[in-house]
Amino acid sequence: MNQSSISKQKTKWYLESASHTGTKWIVPIETLPFTIGRDKACNLTLQSKWVSRHHAQIHLSGSMLWIRDLGSINGTLLNHKRIKEAELIEVGDILHFGDSEFCLKGGESVRTALTAETVAFDSLEEQIGLTSYEPQLQKLLRERAVVPHFQPILKLPDISVVGYEILGRIRGSELPPSPVELFDIAAQLGRASELSALFREEGVRVGKRLAGFPQLFVNTHPLEIHQMDDLEQSLRRIRKRAQSNPIILEINEKAVTHSEQMKQLRSILTDLNIGLAYDDFGVGQIRLVELAKFPPDFLKFDISIIRNIHIAPNRLHQMVVTFIHAAHDLGIATLAEGIECQEESKTCKQLGFQYGQGYLYSRPLTISEFSNTNSQIDS
């Protein structure tokens, strides 16, 4: 890192590390959420072959700071232990992103390097080249070589299955198996929307065989909100393919700030009788005014809020209850994502969540795995 200029800046948290020469340098966490990865658009860019393009993200829930792994290949470590998805972090904690080590520091005024947003190690793109993935991605899209997985969504009072989120996976390819890494590559090659549509459409094609015509929750890529014609055509295809299933389209809550696109999307969804869910709620910038202006059918609270919620401070519980009550007043169903233990499930019920999803109930499974395990599938 080139430490060419030093200035006084006010910040509440910053990351401190040591260069290979032993010189200390620091990076202020001035914008939240704060993304770490190899991509130049990240808040902290680490040009290392051990770091994924979008590796991890630091965000604020209430007054607490959280670290969330974004499906990285080599993982994110908190105090030398690999995190599953998201964990609470405090001043003094040690974080590893690939081979890069940082310590979380705090202070009202810190000395920061103005060029501290980029750490230059060896560049994986220079070694391999992004274009080497292009033929493999084209083949995957052409052959529609994806394997839909389904994770149950349950009604919390009686733990009954009401629907499934469709999650795309790939097999037998030299492309990265991680969906986050795969979409990073697809986005760089201008094919992210096409890949998203493929996962969605193949998922519905297979998912309509699930027993009882359950709700099918399908995902979108953030770029699709700006390519509405293509998104509409994909939604028309899945509606035609699964005419008897209720379908819920999930969009990232950040897309809600695009008013014109939201108006257009709402009109399309109403015409196709497709519901709407805001995903990853609680880590973005959505406000109650956006909820009231464009109310979804479901509000999916992010896993970072649900993780260890049974031992979280009362102030976090109060914040969650406030949003749950506001959502219910607007006729919005609330869903807790990422429930992994009975204690989290019990607390979510007590706080008023109507629906839950997570590894406690089931990991994402293929349709054949469901058939072999719990008879949820029609033969």
Side-chain angles (χ1 to χ4, degrees), residues 49 256 316:
K49 66 181 180 181
V256 184
L316 177 61

Side-chain angles (χ1 to χ4, degrees), residues 34-37 42 44 46 53-58 67 97:
F34 183 91
T35 305
I36 302 100
C42 292
L44 171 60
L46 301 170
R53 281 187 171 78
H54 294 126
H55 194 102
Q57 189 176 78
I58 296 172
I67 181 73
F97 311 109

Side-chain angles (χ1 to χ4, degrees), residues 332-343:
I332 303 169
T334 52
L335 188 155
E337 289 189 289
I339 297 175
E340 292 195 351
C341 65
Q342 291 290 350
E343 292 82 3

Side-chain angles (χ1 to χ4, degrees), residues 19-31:
S19 70
H20 295 302
T21 62
T23 304
K24 292 287 184 181
W25 45 267
I26 56 182
V27 181
I29 302 174
E30 296 178 318
T31 302

